[in-house]
Amino acid sequence: MERVKPIFMIAEAPVTLQIEAVAGQEPETADLVPSERSAPQAIEPPGSSSFPKVLRRRLDSFFADQNISPKADRTMWGKIALGLAVLAGTWIALYALRPGSWMFVALYLLGGLAQTFLLLNIAHDSNHNAISSRSFVNKTLNYVFDLCGISSYMWRILHHRGHHSCINLHGEDDALSGRGIFRFTPYDSRAPWHRLQHIYALFVYALFSLDYVFVRDFQHFFFPSHDYVKRAKHPLREYAVLFAGKGFYLTYMLVLPVMVLGKSPQLVAGAFLLVHLVVGLSVTLVFQSTHTIDSTYFPSDRGEFENGVYHIFATTADYATENPLVSWLVGGLNHHIVHHLCPYVCHTHYTRLTRIVKETAEEFGICYRQHPTMTRAIRHHLILLKQLGNEN
């Protein structure tokens, strides 16, 4: 049994101070994720009853009272085994059965679905050190990103310093980087084509993972746009892992099916594109429907909220929290408020923690944003895109 630690890592302090405390850690350190022990903590006076402190106590008490670990449980280890088994099984079947064209595409696509499952359920949790208290376990499982063609090292930098530390902040939150194609915040300048962004969004989102594999990772390594990436001194090992990971991924996804199975380059390229359309669209919509919707807020600066908890509630929304299938498939990321409140906790605990969040928010009159279904959340994301595309 792992020792239960405080898991609510937002201190009773202005959000600007909390963000700087996290962002101040240099990426050349051994672990790019802020440790649970170093997370800012408030000294609470006895009997304190502010919303953030009450919520923190209740979330911490959930694990302490039941004497359970906030890390991976049996359900999580089962998901890890299932995801890896399906991915490995599809490739074993491809070479053992040497199927015809249509069956090849079907098995290839099943492997792509397994990659999507692994990215959302395994890679993301390991990225937050949420699977195990042993760093080696988390770091090993984090290579699932590289297995899927994405740099795990750069993802950790961008996700922690460019998102969790600055949610919905224009110019800082990397998730809001529309690269001129999209206008995601009211502070972005509007271009004529943005009037159609709610129409072409899904088509562009489908290219998300292709962008990461072939462009984005290299861009951040060699031509960074964010200051915290420019200042980083990447270890030589990470350059080696970047190229080795990309080479391994492209070899087993593109080269071997042609060289070993004798499939035509056109067929393999078509299957590869189909996989990425599925992966890109799925992963993008899971995340975009939690922050960039018409009811969430876009702060003007880091110090706008006196407490990071209020920042999270204003900028984040949940969806389909009562649908166990959605939660199982998307790695609990539909419970996104809890994820930002408790980033070190394994997602298989999120459903019960979300009930605590809902009840406490209602008790204190705090706005808790949610949509009953994922479809509804996506619709409200597209509504925001339409509004931003037509308003100055």
Side-chain angles (χ1 to χ4, degrees), residues 270-310:
F272 182 78
L273 177 61
L274 179 61
V275 162
H276 275 280
L277 294 180
V278 173
V279 174
L281 187 60
S282 302
V283 173
T284 305
L285 289 179
V286 166
F287 283 98
Q288 290 287 51
S289 52
T290 59
H291 293 296
T292 50
I293 59 175
D294 61 336
S295 63
T296 50
Y297 184 65
F298 297 89
S300 58
D301 58 66
R302 288 174 175 258
E304 189 164 339
F305 293 91
E306 65 177 12
N307 189 288
V309 175
Y310 298 119

Side-chain angles (χ1 to χ4, degrees), residues 72-135:
D73 55 13
R74 290 182 179 179
T75 300
M76 183 60 178
W77 289 114
K79 295 181 78 172
I80 293 173
L82 176 63
L84 293 174
V86 172
L87 181 61
T90 56
W91 285 95
I92 292 173
L94 282 173
Y95 290 94
L97 302 177
R98 305 181 79 87
S101 297
W102 287 107
M103 185 55 67
F104 169 82
V105 173
L107 286 171
Y108 197 98
L109 179 58
L110 180 59
L113 293 174
Q115 289 182 16
T116 305
F117 181 83
L118 288 169
L119 287 170
L120 293 173
N121 288 269
I122 314 306
H124 184 256
D125 270 35
S126 65
N127 176 64
H128 283 283
N129 292 341
I131 294 179
S132 173
S133 59
R134 298 176 178 86
S135 61

Side-chain angles (χ1 to χ4, degrees), residues 182-341:
F182 294 104
R183 186 187 188 210
F184 284 135
T185 81
Y187 307 106
D188 282 314
S189 57
R190 187 170 69 90
W193 54 85
H194 290 152
R195 299 184 66 178
L196 301 175
Q197 65 178 1
H198 62 291
I199 297 174
Y200 61 71
L202 299 184
F203 298 99
V204 177
Y205 289 169
L207 304 176
F208 164 81
S209 56
L210 282 172
D211 181 41
Y212 257 97
V213 171
F214 291 107
V215 179
R216 196 175 180 88
D217 283 337
F218 296 105
Q219 179 183 25
H220 285 302
F221 261 95
F222 300 102
F223 308 101
S225 56
H226 298 297
D227 287 339
Y228 57 86
V229 182
K230 290 179 180 179
R231 295 193 303 268
K233 296 179 181 178
H234 308 305
L236 290 178
R237 175 181 179 276
E238 296 303 337
Y239 287 97
V241 172
L242 171 69
F243 287 104
K246 300 288 187 183
F248 175 76
Y249 175 74
L250 295 176
T251 297
Y252 87 80
M253 289 290 286
L254 292 173
V255 178
L256 293 182
V258 174
M259 301 297 294
V260 177
L261 294 179
K263 300 300 179 184
S264 70
Q266 295 84 354
L267 177 66
V268 175
F272 182 78
L273 177 61
L274 179 61
V275 162
H276 275 280
L277 294 180
V278 173
V279 174
L281 187 60
S282 302
V283 173
T284 305
L285 289 179
V286 166
F287 283 98
Q288 290 287 51
S289 52
T290 59
H291 293 296
T292 50
I293 59 175
D294 61 336
S295 63
T296 50
Y297 184 65
F298 297 89
S300 58
D301 58 66
R302 288 174 175 258
E304 189 164 339
F305 293 91
E306 65 177 12
N307 189 288
V309 175
Y310 298 119
H311 184 120
I312 291 171
F313 272 81
T315 58
T316 312
D318 289 348
Y319 58 85
T321 57
E322 298 300 323
N323 188 323
L325 180 59
V326 172
S327 297
W328 193 85
L329 289 173
V330 305
L333 289 167
N334 53 323
H335 298 265
H336 217 69
I337 292 176
V338 160
H339 169 60
H340 277 278
L341 293 172

Side-chain angles (χ1 to χ4, degrees), residues 45-60:
S48 175
S49 59
S50 71
F51 170 65
K53 291 178 180 178
V54 170
L55 182 57
R56 176 169 61 249
R57 286 200 297 266
R58 291 178 181 178
L59 291 171
D60 287 345

Side-chain angles (χ1 to χ4, degrees), residues 146-157:
D146 300 275
L147 184 65
C148 297
I150 299 172
S151 168
S152 57
Y153 172 79
M154 189 55 66
W155 176 275
R156 286 165 80 83
I157 294 178

